[in-house]
Structures are given as C-alpha cells and as structure tokens.
Amino acid sequence: MACPAAALLLPLLLGFLAPARATDPYAFFDWDVSYVTRSPLGVPQKVIAINKEFPGPVVNVTTNYNVAVNVLNSLDEPLLITWDGIQQRKNCWQDGVLGTNCPIPPGWNWTYNFQVKDQIGSFFYFPPLSMQRAAGGFGGITVNNRAVISVPFDTPDGDIRLFIGDWYKKNHTDLRKMLDDGKELGMPDGVLMNGKGPYRYNDSLVPAGIEYETIDVEPGKTYRFRVHNVGISTSLNLRIQGHNMAMVETEGSYTMKQNFTNLDIHVGQSYSFLVTMDQNASSDYYIVASARFVNESLWTRVTGVAILHYSNSKGKASGPLPDPPNDEYDKTFSMNQARSIRMNVTTGAARPNPQGSFHYGQINVTQVYKLRNMPPVTINGKRRTTLNGISYSPPATPLRLADLYDKKEVYTLDFPTMPSDGPPVIRSSVINSTYKNFMEIVFQNNDTKVQTYHIDGYAFWVVGMDYGEWTDNSRGTYNKWDGVSRCTTQVFPGAWTAVLLSLDSPGFWNVRTENLDTWYLGQETYIRVVDPDGGYNVTESVLPDNALFCGLLREKQKAQKPHGSSSSSASPALKQSGYLLPFLVLLVALAVMGH
C-alpha cells in the first residue's frame, strides 16, 4: 500500500516534471532497451527487448495523462522510440523520429516527456531507426477514456493485446545489409504472435519445440482484443476459429460496431475487437494470422497460429485452420472491407461531444498533395524508393533543430505537390504548410505491393479509395460524413487512398510508409507546419531542457557518461532530465518518517 505522506508529496514531485500539467496525473516508466536471445522460429537470434520483455511492456494510461519514459539505450547502435498514433500535441520534440530528435547514443539514456492530450485508443511504440523494428523493441499503448466519458459498448471482462507480424530468422543488421546491397528481403520465415512462433497445427510445416502463444479465457465472458500489425512488409488476415470479432475502435476512433469473421490488417495498423467466448469448448480454438496477396501454396508456412484456451476446454485444437478469404489475390474484397469501416458519429471519444459534430466534409481544402510511389529505382548506383520522384535522405541535423537555430541548407521546402516524370533524386525535401491549413493528401500506389502510410502528429479522415489513377473527378466518390479517423491507412497496388487532415499542431511531422523495407530505402517526407504569427512558446512547446544535439549542433551536446546495461530505477530519468535528485531523496525520507 502507498504511504499517505508520499501520496501528499507526489504533487510536489510532479511539479518538477516540466512540461507536466499540474491538474493531470503523471505516469512514469523506466526502460532498459537491450538485446536478448530468443528463438521465436526455433533458431536462436538476437532480438530487441525492453526490460528483458519481448514484446515490450504496455504503456497503460488515461486521456490527458502526462507520460515520462526514461529510455536507457543498451544496444550497440543509436536508438529512438516513436509513439505510433500519439499526437504529441504541439510538441514534435517528443515524436522520436530523425526529423525532430537526435538519436540516443549507445550507453546513454533520454527521457521522453509528453501528454496524451484529448486522445483515446489502441496504439503501439517501436524503434524507427535502421530496420530495428524487424528485431523487436515494440510494445502497446492503451489510452483509456476518463471515467466521465461514456464508452459505446459494455465494459469488457478483460483486455488482451495481440501483436502480429512477419518475421525473419536473419538479424535486422543482416536485413539492412541486404537492402544496402540492392537486394530484396524475399519471403519472410514466419509470422509471430506476441513474439512467439506458430502452434504446431501441421507436423510437416511447423517444427517441434517452437514456443507458441496461448490466450486463456473464461466461457461466457467478452474480451477486448487490441491487435497490431507490427511486422515488416506483409499484410495479414486475422481470424479466430468459431468466433466473431466485433470491431469497435481503430487508432483512436470508435467505429460503428460490425462483426467480422476475418479482417485484413496491414503493416502498422491497429484495431480493437470485442470477442465473446460463446462456444462449447469441446477443444481449444485457433487464432490465425496468414499472409495476404501472395501465392498461398508457397507462403503456407508463413502463418502465425496461437491458441485460444477456454478454462473448461476438453482438448487441444486440431484439424485444419479456419479458411482465409476465398481468393488470396482478391484485393477488391480487402478494399470493400476497408470501405465498410465507418466512424461512430453518435458517441464521444476523448471528449463528451459526438465525434460527428466536427463536419470535416464542409471545410475548404487549402492544400492538395498527390504522393505517388513507384517500384524501387536506381539512383546514383543505389536501389532506392521514392515519393513523387524524391527519395528522402535524413540530414544529420534534425529538421526542427535546424529551424530553431537557423541552420541553413539542412533541408529544402520544394516537395512537389504532384508526381513528376523527371529523373528521381535523393534529397531532404519537405512539404511546407501553415498552421490551421486543411490539407488533402492522395496516396497513389503505382507499385505492385500494398503500402501503408502513416502521418505522425495527426489523425486523418480516410475519405476515399479506389483502383486506377486518382483525378479531380475522384472527389465525387468521397465519404464526407463518417469516414474513419485514424493515423495509418492502406493503399492497394494500382490504387489510391485519399485522406483529409486539419493541421492544428505546429512542428515537423513525419509522413512515411510503415513497410520497413520501402521506408528504409527513402519512401518518406515531413510536413513543416509553421504558425505565421510566431508560435514558438505560444502555439508550440519549447525545446526540452534535456534535448540532445547532433549534426551541425553537436558542439552544444554535453557528454554523458555511458551507463551500460542496467535494470535501473527511476533515478536515471530524473538525472537526465535535470531534476534535483538530492531534493527527491529528501522528499522520500520525509515521506518515510511521516509514515
């Protein structure tokens, strides 16, 4: 039980944790990011764990909580953590990507400090640098509703997290070298579920001795499954044998409740389902995630299988896996699924007003960008990927720091609004925009594989998708009322997806494909959102006291003594953030004496 005196002193302690809001609670997390050896597919390999956990711990907070995450980098290479879907309101300094943050050097620690302002939902975090997510380092983020805000479904009996994703037996450094050498990654070796390999449903396809995931449930109860595709490049179809999955939320938006027997979940996407344990438990049930839009006979072994185990189960799961959609190549089925997902406009999310009270379809668009990706090309002898003919190269100096310190020629503001047929180039080209603009972005996929696109800092409305080339006339098909609001959308090959977003948060915000191979090779850019009235320290948060410096600003960085791998307490977070550790020790002593 917490000490009453300590509880009284907690508000004083939190007062030192700028930029915490005094009226909102603070959640503290202390992470040691290191390599551990695991054998998810039966072969020992080096994976990235957090506090020795793979996947990492869940960040479980509530709307408007302030969050402090102290990250100790015990890897042998630089590290960042990005918070996929957390909007970092007016605070891109905490976004954890190269446009806004210098990497944490090996042996150093850094404390992220942000607020989950006016958000709810299911998200995840991961290391965005150098293909590191292919080795792990990911974990869940749950942002719960405040007690005063009603939820549009009954409270579930439990909350279950499910990470699905394709996986290679090669280390991420080997995968990175393959891409650097101009090679394709090829077919993955399997699909993991919560960091574990498949249940041995077939003796010839799954070797013996592989650890698999088991989810224990009670008959008659309803559970909320929060599912994330944290893989590398493979779209997966999820299904639970004999059970309906009632979708209720995706990436911070409550959706109209509808039942699915299976759903395509693309790389980087997150969903919440309600699943009721209404079967007779004559045996356990399969949970399956299988690859989509591939040759099924070749890819059969690339299937993730976990077990749903009722407490009164009478035996092990057996027999064939539940069937995927009829045609593995039928992208129209998948597109129709995606189009059917609509926002629940009759309920609130983080605030009490209904989500539909913001009529996005009636706002005048001020900027239009059509972003076209193509199959990989060769630029200066290197295999690269592009958006509008530009392959992004991250500069050594983060974009936001370059702006703050008036460092010229770090990036250019010449990202084209429309695709160009000119020769592809490598450069640090950025989209220029203005605070409170309303932007339309059309993602045009002229490659042969599904791509998913994510925009940091924002949720956007998915207003349309179709096959063929997008034109101005395509706007006639847009959903301008209840299009789902989310942060990651799929774009099918030979097709387009259109989104609308309100640029109400100044800063630099990453626009990227979530497919790790095409992202690594250059398929990204940033949106520069500037307040013309000079919003620094007014509409935008100031540079944090513990900011790291690199590139053209490296002389500003004070040396930090490497800590080495440790399962440290909260004290490194306090030291690195510049807080007064002796004063905190005194507070604790006073609390103990008072107790």
Side-chain angles (χ1 to χ4, degrees):
M1 180 179 294
C3 170
L8 291 172
L9 287 168
L10 185 59
L12 293 175
L13 172 60
L14 298 185
F16 288 87
L17 298 176
R21 281 70 172 175
T23 57
D24 294 314
Y26 217 100
F28 228 122
F29 301 88
D30 200 30
W31 291 355
D32 183 0
V33 182
S34 66
Y35 295 117
V36 298
T37 300
R38 296 284 189 274
S39 304
L41 294 177
V43 176
Q45 61 185 125
K46 197 166 59 173
V47 306
I48 298 176
I50 297 175
N51 296 345
K52 307 301 182 186
E53 296 180 37
F54 170 65
V58 173
V59 175
N60 190 355
V61 291
T62 297
T63 302
N64 295 342
Y65 267 46
N66 298 287
V67 181
V69 185
N70 176 55
V71 175
L72 172 61
N73 179 11
S74 295
L75 304 181
D76 56 1
E77 57 187 15
L79 173 73
L80 284 173
I81 300 291
T82 193
W83 317 89
D84 225 48
I86 299 301
Q87 293 177 13
Q88 308 290 0
R89 302 292 298 163
K90 304 177 182 180
N91 189 19
C92 72
W93 304 110
Q94 308 294 328
D95 198 27
V97 288
L98 285 176
T100 54
N101 295 93
C102 293
I104 307 168
W108 287 34
N109 72 294
W110 198 75
T111 303
Y112 290 90
N113 192 357
F114 56 88
Q115 187 180 33
V116 288
K117 181 69 174 173
D118 290 334
Q119 282 192 267
I120 58 96
S122 308
F123 311 100
F124 66 97
Y125 60 83
F126 67 92
L129 301 185
S130 305
M131 297 284 291
Q132 288 172 350
R133 193 177 79 208
F138 48 78
I141 306 171
T142 297
V143 185
N144 303 290
N145 283 75
R146 291 177 292 156
V148 295
I149 305 298
S150 61
V151 176
F153 47 84
D154 292 335
T155 302
D157 296 297
D159 204 275
I160 294 169
R161 186 77 56 170
L162 187 60
F163 297 101
I164 60 177
D166 56 351
W167 189 262
Y168 291 82
K169 294 177 183 177
K170 290 185 174 70
N171 291 332
H172 72 286
T173 52
D174 296 325
L175 299 178
R176 198 164 66 207
K177 187 176 186 307
M178 290 175 66
L179 294 175
D180 290 338
D181 291 343
K183 300 175 183 177
E184 292 189 359
L185 297 184
M187 186 169 63
D189 296 302
V191 168
L192 303 191
M193 305 185 81
N194 286 350
K196 299 175 183 177
Y199 173 79
R200 199 179 191 195
Y201 69 97
N202 182 305
D203 291 353
S204 63
L205 293 174
V206 182
I210 288 181
E211 183 183 8
Y212 58 87
E213 176 71 348
T214 298
I215 294 174
D216 295 318
V217 294
E218 296 293 330
K221 292 188 175 182
T222 297
Y223 296 84
R224 182 173 181 171
F225 280 70
R226 302 178 191 262
V227 185
H228 314 272
N229 186 336
V230 294
I232 297 163
S233 62
T234 304
S235 298
L236 298 173
N237 182 268
L238 179 74
R239 48 206 186 270
I240 303 176
Q241 184 181 29
H243 294 73
N244 282 323
M245 304 182 299
M247 182 189 296
V248 291
E249 178 256 337
T250 178
E251 298 163 7
S253 290
Y254 289 125
T255 62
M256 294 301 295
K257 186 177 180 180
Q258 60 175 316
N259 288 327
F260 291 91
T261 55
N262 68 83
L263 183 76
D264 288 342
I265 303 178
H266 306 277
V267 178
Q269 290 188 324
S270 301
Y271 290 96
S272 280
F273 305 96
L274 298 180
V275 183
T276 299
M277 304 304 137
D278 55 6
Q279 300 302 298
N280 61 16
S282 57
S283 68
D284 293 342
Y285 297 90
Y286 295 123
I287 304 173
V288 180
S290 60
R292 287 284 275 145
F293 319 127
V294 295
N295 185 315
E296 185 178 357
S297 60
L298 291 176
W299 282 65
T300 303
R301 65 179 177 82
V302 186
T303 302
V305 184
I307 293 298
L308 185 72
H309 173 71
Y310 281 52
S311 61
N312 62 340
S313 173
K314 297 179 178 62
K316 293 182 177 181
S318 61
L321 301 180
D323 291 332
N326 289 334
D327 186 348
E328 284 296 302
Y329 288 98
D330 185 3
K331 300 177 186 68
T332 301
F333 171 86
S334 188
M335 182 178 285
N336 287 337
Q337 271 194 338
R339 286 168 168 164
S340 74
I341 300 170
R342 302 297 179 94
M343 188 157 64
N344 185 341
V345 298
T346 65
T347 187
R351 294 183 175 185
N353 57 303
Q355 297 184 14
S357 64
F358 188 82
H359 301 302
Y360 67 86
Q362 299 175 15
I363 301 173
N364 291 328
V365 171
T366 51
Q367 283 183 291
V368 179
Y369 278 82
K370 181 180 178 181
L371 307 184
R372 183 180 70 186
N373 72 282
M374 303 287 288
V377 295
T378 299
I379 309 176
N380 300 335
K382 293 290 186 181
R383 190 171 185 265
R384 302 287 296 181
T385 56
T386 60
L387 286 175
N388 285 4
I390 296 176
S391 185
Y392 186 82
S393 176
T397 307
L399 309 176
R400 186 63 191 89
L401 277 177
D403 259 18
L404 181 64
Y405 288 93
D406 198 28
K407 297 295 183 182
K408 306 298 185 183
E409 300 181 0
V410 170
Y411 63 91
T412 58
L413 287 171
D414 57 354
F415 195 92
T417 59
M418 292 289 159
S420 167
D421 292 327
V425 296
I426 299 175
R427 65 170 179 254
S428 307
S429 182
V430 172
I431 294 172
N432 195 26
S433 193
T434 303
Y435 181 48
K436 295 188 178 179
N437 270 5
F438 195 68
M439 183 178 286
E440 176 183 16
I441 296 180
V442 179
F443 296 105
Q444 178 77 49
N445 184 1
N446 286 13
D447 200 349
T448 58
K449 300 177 182 178
V450 177
Q451 299 290 327
T452 50
Y453 286 94
H454 175 90
I455 301 179
D456 280 354
Y458 294 99
F460 48 71
W461 291 275
V462 182
V463 293
M465 59 178 67
D466 206 350
Y467 289 103
E469 192 78 16
W470 181 92
T471 67
D472 289 344
N473 292 333
S474 302
R475 293 192 179 101
T477 67
Y478 283 8
N479 174 2
K480 294 188 175 182
W481 167 243
D482 62 352
V484 68
S485 175
R486 62 187 311 168
C487 60
T488 308
T489 186
Q490 67 272 59
V491 190
F492 294 96
W496 56 266
T497 297
V499 305
L500 300 176
L501 68 157
S502 177
L503 298 178
D504 57 358
S505 186
F508 279 80
W509 304 105
N510 191 218
V511 181
R512 62 175 178 266
T513 177
E514 290 277 41
N515 302 53
L516 289 186
D517 49 355
T518 47
W519 181 11
Y520 179 77
L521 294 175
Q523 202 167 292
E524 67 174 322
T525 185
Y526 284 80
I527 303 176
R528 178 179 183 257
V529 182
V530 177
D531 186 344
D533 296 328
Y536 186 68
N537 200 25
V538 179
T539 55
E540 184 182 7
S541 298
V542 298
L543 179 74
D545 292 340
N546 65 338
L548 297 175
F549 295 95
C550 54
L552 297 176
L553 297 164
R554 58 187 177 276
E555 74 281 354
K556 290 181 171 292
Q557 181 59 50
K558 295 180 181 178
Q560 183 183 126
K561 183 179 179 181
H563 297 280
S565 183
S566 159
S567 57
S568 55
S569 67
S571 58
L574 303 174
K575 290 176 183 176
Q576 170 63 16
S577 300
Y579 306 129
L580 301 177
L581 185 59
F583 181 71
L584 299 180
V585 172
L586 175 61
L587 287 180
V588 174
L590 289 171
V592 172
M593 287 188 292
H595 182 64

